[in-house]
Amino acid sequence: MQRELRFYVDSANVDDVSTLLTDHLVHGVTTNPTILERSNRTVHDIPALYARWESEGAEEIFFQTWGSTTDEMLQNAEGIRALGERAVVKVPATRAGFAAASTLVAAGTRVLVTAVYSQGQALAAATLGVRYIAPYLGRLKDAGRDGIAEITAMQALVAGTGTDVLAASLRTPHDIVELAANGVPFFTAAPSVILAALQTDVSDASAAEFDAAVQRGLSDRQE
Ligand code: E4P
């Protein structure tokens, strides 16, 4: 079976997101309340951000529900789900979040369980039929854990269930490559990390050499 790999951009900086979307370099956009706050946005900006990113070609647009109870999370999730077909509701991997995720999935909503830090949580999310789980590599490593091994184990647990790993907290292109080599299919990262994955100095130097050869050929013809 052919394997699909995807990059998502983890940002609410509309200029940075726009260039990646309109150049068709990422499949979609992921956000959470912290990411919104970093770009001076609030949950009130969610409808406008959705409309903008939909018009710029995002296939999937993730917003996180909020609230301290399952009922509050479900109420806030309704506004996200109603944005349109490309909306995916993020739910934190808490007791209340799992209950909200279960109800949302039963109602046909695409759900990502986020801030997944254990294999038990990964497995529980898959039993509910959520579309994605987001373990945080960088934060696992910050906590002194073997993030690559733990996320690889989560991937093995959910493989073939309809739940996929969409890895987050990826701080270098190497983080992405290591996880991809271990079977993880989907990745979300800051614009700078996505751009760094596309670029090497030697590729740029080779491209400059190719261009110089074209220019030399054109000027020879003119003589
Ligand atoms: C995703 O939802 C997380 O906010 C993000 O990936 C965390 O990245 P960080 O740990 O580098 O802040």
Side-chain angles (χ1 to χ4, degrees):
M1 203 179 67
Q2 208 173 27
R3 183 168 170 227
E4 186 186 1
L5 296 169
R6 292 185 206 147
F7 282 173
Y8 295 80
V9 60
D10 201 23
S11 174
N13 178 315
V14 290
D15 294 331
D16 290 349
V17 170
S18 178
T19 157
L20 290 168
L21 283 177
T22 57
D23 283 345
H24 310 289
L25 294 172
V26 293
H27 187 82
V29 189
T30 60
T31 68
N32 62 34
T34 319
I35 286 173
L36 292 177
E37 185 181 39
R38 270 189 220 135
S39 291
N40 296 316
R41 309 270 171 178
T42 73
V43 293
H44 295 302
D45 296 308
I46 286 176
L49 290 170
Y50 180 88
R52 177 176 177 137
W53 293 334
E54 182 183 42
S55 76
E56 290 175 343
E59 298 286 341
E60 290 185 304
I61 304 168
F62 296 67
F63 293 107
Q64 191 162 322
T65 191
W66 63 98
S68 53
T69 65
T70 301
D71 281 349
E72 279 173 14
M73 285 188 201
L74 287 172
Q75 220 169 3
N76 294 319
E78 179 50 28
I80 298 170
R81 191 204 56 75
L83 292 167
E85 287 196 345
R86 298 182 192 192
V88 184
V89 178
K90 290 177 73 173
V91 179
T94 60
R95 171 69 182 81
F98 276 109
S102 180
T103 300
L104 289 166
V105 171
T109 306
R110 225 173 329 155
V111 171
L112 176 149
V113 172
T114 193
V116 169
Y117 284 92
S118 77
Q119 292 180 52
Q121 289 176 323
L123 188 66
T127 69
L128 302 181
V130 305
R131 179 67 190 89
Y132 303 106
I133 54 171
Y136 287 8
L137 178 65
R139 294 187 192 194
L140 280 164
K141 287 182 175 177
D142 292 345
R145 290 163 59 176
D146 185 343
I148 295 287
E150 292 201 36
I151 296 175
T152 300
M154 290 180 201
Q155 170 63 33
L157 271 177
V158 303
T161 64
T163 298
D164 279 310
V165 173
L166 197 171
S169 189
L170 305 169
R171 298 172 183 163
T172 67
H174 187 66
D175 287 341
I176 298 174
V177 169
E178 270 194 286
L179 289 175
N182 289 354
V184 173
F186 305 140
F187 306 93
T188 189
S192 58
V193 177
I194 304 280
L195 291 172
L198 309 182
Q199 195 267 339
T200 68
D201 291 346
V202 277
S203 301
D204 290 349
S206 298
E209 276 175 37
F210 299 143
D211 219 41
V214 171
Q215 296 311 323
R216 281 194 299 275
L218 291 175
S219 61
D220 287 352
R221 279 282 172 94
Q222 279 168 358
E223 285 165 9

